Amino acid sequence: MTDNLKKNINLIKKKLSSFECNPKYSFFFKILICALVFIPFNFAMASPEFEAIKILPTKEGGQSYTVTLQILALMTSFTFLPAFLMMMTSFARIVIVLSFMRQALGTMQTPSNQIIVALSLFLTMFIMGPVFDRIHSDAIQPYLDEKITFPQAFEKAAIPMRSYMLKQTRESDIALFLRVSGRNKPINTPDEIPFTILIPAYSISELKTAFQIGFLIFIPFLVIDLVVASTLMAMGMMMLSPMMISLPFKLMLFVMIDGWSLIIGTLTSSFYLGP
């Protein structure tokens, strides 16, 4: 252990001497190098029974990780939450459709991006509620009660997510990614589709559906723009912006038909969440 300590000290001296030419940052570099050198040394000096990195075999032949490693894995998984929210839930379809609606109305930044994202988040919570409830009852709660292990909880949580995504994904998109991946192993049941294939296929299907709904939203407002532009052209008012004249008519139409209820109702019903 003395030889290792001497090697660490010599390494520190050598590294510190290389930063003497940078007096502005040398102090911070010295602290960083000391930490990087001594942290592995401290782990080497620690007891082999150190609980933070212990992996124990289970009765079923698997492996059980300490709580510290489980917390580390959980905190690391939090970095994937934005991608999970956008690509594995109903959020992408909702936010794209609402953005199309704003462009069709021609109201520029009204409603603002913050309002659209907030509304999309709450609608996502409403639509994904049954899925999240099932994940909580089948995976999270048994894991908190120490009835199942962390890997088992992860597998049980994947079942309702897979079921939801399969209901919203087109078979043609799944076939596309299966063909591109060059997968030789045949797939007999939908449950055998790996998430590496299902997630991109689901994302593409969501984008297709969102653009289809956006196209249907654009049609009535496009008709109003064409009528107003033709009227202004016939009256010789070519210098007057058709957008400025058509905006009140589009807002009036949107309010009279209760547009918010129609769009939100159609959007939420477009997700098939049946058994």
Side-chain angles (χ1 to χ4, degrees), residues 10-169:
N10 292 332
L11 181 60
I12 291 174
K13 290 180 179 180
K14 188 182 297 183
K15 293 294 183 181
L16 293 180
S17 62
S18 63
F19 289 104
E20 292 298 333
C21 58
N22 300 310
K24 185 177 180 180
Y25 302 105
S26 61
F27 175 74
F28 300 101
F29 281 128
K30 290 175 182 179
I31 295 178
L32 178 61
I33 291 174
C34 289
L36 292 177
V37 172
F38 273 111
I39 286 175
F41 176 74
N42 291 334
F43 273 107
M45 292 287 291
S47 170
E49 299 296 327
F50 188 51
E51 291 291 335
I53 55 175
K54 182 180 289 187
I55 302 176
L56 300 175
T58 60
K59 297 179 180 179
E60 295 79 10
Q63 291 179 337
S64 176
Y65 302 93
T66 57
V67 177
T68 309
L69 282 178
Q70 295 179 15
I71 293 176
L72 178 62
L74 182 63
M75 297 301 293
T76 304
S77 65
F78 284 164
T79 58
F80 296 96
L81 278 179
F84 168 80
L85 175 65
M86 291 185 289
M87 294 290 99
M88 296 180 66
T89 65
S90 58
F91 179 81
R93 186 191 302 187
I94 297 172
V95 75
I96 291 174
V97 170
L98 293 180
S99 298
F100 272 126
M101 182 207 67
R102 183 176 64 182
Q103 294 179 14
L105 283 172
T107 54
M108 301 302 177
Q109 295 298 319
T110 304
S112 63
N113 292 331
Q114 293 86 347
I115 294 177
I116 289 180
V117 172
L119 180 58
S120 302
L121 284 173
F122 281 104
L123 287 176
T124 301
M125 294 172 58
F126 170 76
I127 294 171
M128 300 295 297
V131 179
F132 293 153
D133 290 342
R134 186 178 171 190
I135 291 176
H136 180 269
S137 60
D138 295 349
I140 297 178
Q141 194 59 47
Y143 173 71
L144 294 177
D145 295 338
E146 299 182 354
K147 296 180 180 178
I148 58 176
T149 61
F150 183 78
Q152 292 174 339
F154 183 81
E155 293 177 359
K156 289 182 177 294
I159 295 175
M161 283 304 304
R162 180 189 299 275
S163 176
Y164 160 77
M165 295 172 69
L166 284 173
K167 293 175 182 177
Q168 313 300 327
T169 307

